[in-house]
Amino acid sequence: PLPRPKAMGGQDHEGARLADTESVDVQHLAEMSRGDLVDLFKEGRPVVHLHGQFGADKVELVDGPLLVDELHQLIKLGPATTELVVLDSCNSYIVGKAIEVTGVQYSVVATTALPSVYSKDFFRSFYANLRQSGDAPRAFELANIETTLRHGTRGRQFLFFTDHRGNASTVAPT
């Protein structure tokens, strides 16, 4: 196996790659083709953040709908270096289930309609916490707390975090 990356300060840390989220670009699916998605997953980014229209069993792309099974295959095309996939769109939970068997460790999906004001604030907080700690479950928990303090209880039930290797799922606290 490859050696674990070094975290800031030179200490071994499993989340060191996740802490390097400065380069996370939100990819807008409405502007992407199947080929663009293939290229994105082949790049081996530690974090892939997708935003767009998700149906019950598909994702809308420039060149037409991409079915859940096709998304599953695209994710598996990439190297095993993608650790977190974020599907930042209303009702992306069903599509997000395709991530479970791809080797990606973590996913964040929306269970229902996701208010854009809440979403933007949540992900700003989530990535700030992820950069600081490299710990995705902890970053998710802190972002929920911080966003709830700013917005009240509205919105907390929208996001769902899953650790696919530990089979632990966390719904934002209600």
Side-chain angles (χ1 to χ4, degrees):
L2 295 172
R4 283 194 260 164
K6 297 284 185 184
M8 291 181 225
Q11 299 175 9
D12 283 338
H13 188 277
E14 288 181 334
R17 283 178 39 84
L18 287 178
D20 182 23
T21 58
E22 291 294 334
S23 61
V24 173
D25 294 317
V26 176
Q27 303 296 317
H28 295 275
L29 292 170
E31 301 167 1
M32 298 182 79
S33 67
R34 281 172 174 72
D36 295 333
L37 269 179
V38 168
D39 292 345
L40 178 67
F41 282 106
K42 282 186 174 180
E43 285 176 18
R45 297 177 183 195
V47 179
V48 174
H49 187 130
L50 302 173
H51 177 78
Q53 296 296 322
F54 293 84
D57 62 347
K58 64 185 179 213
V59 176
E60 293 297 331
L61 300 174
V62 169
D63 52 356
L66 178 75
L67 299 177
V68 171
D69 291 340
E70 293 175 282
L71 177 63
H72 171 255
Q73 294 303 317
L74 287 179
I75 293 171
K76 288 179 79 172
L77 283 175
T81 55
T82 299
E83 299 175 47
L84 169 67
V85 174
V86 175
L87 302 180
D88 173 18
S89 184
C90 301
N91 305 310
S92 58
Y93 177 75
I94 299 295
V95 174
K97 297 293 278 178
I99 297 168
E100 288 183 12
V101 292
T102 63
V104 172
Q105 182 165 358
Y106 304 113
S107 64
V108 177
V109 298
T111 57
T112 186
L114 184 62
S116 61
V117 171
Y118 180 86
S119 175
K120 288 176 186 175
D121 193 34
F122 173 85
F123 285 112
R124 189 176 302 115
S125 179
F126 175 73
Y127 286 123
N129 285 303
L130 191 58
R131 274 190 298 279
Q132 188 172 30
S133 70
D135 182 337
R138 182 78 179 137
F140 183 84
E141 182 181 325
L142 290 172
N144 270 317
I145 291 167
E146 293 166 2
T147 309
T148 298
L149 288 173
R150 288 188 290 272
H151 295 274
T153 57
R154 294 185 332 264
R156 288 192 305 183
Q157 71 276 13
F158 295 109
L159 295 165
F160 190 78
F161 178 89
T162 303
D163 177 342
H164 299 287
R165 295 184 186 153
N167 296 319
S169 299
T170 306
V171 177
T174 55

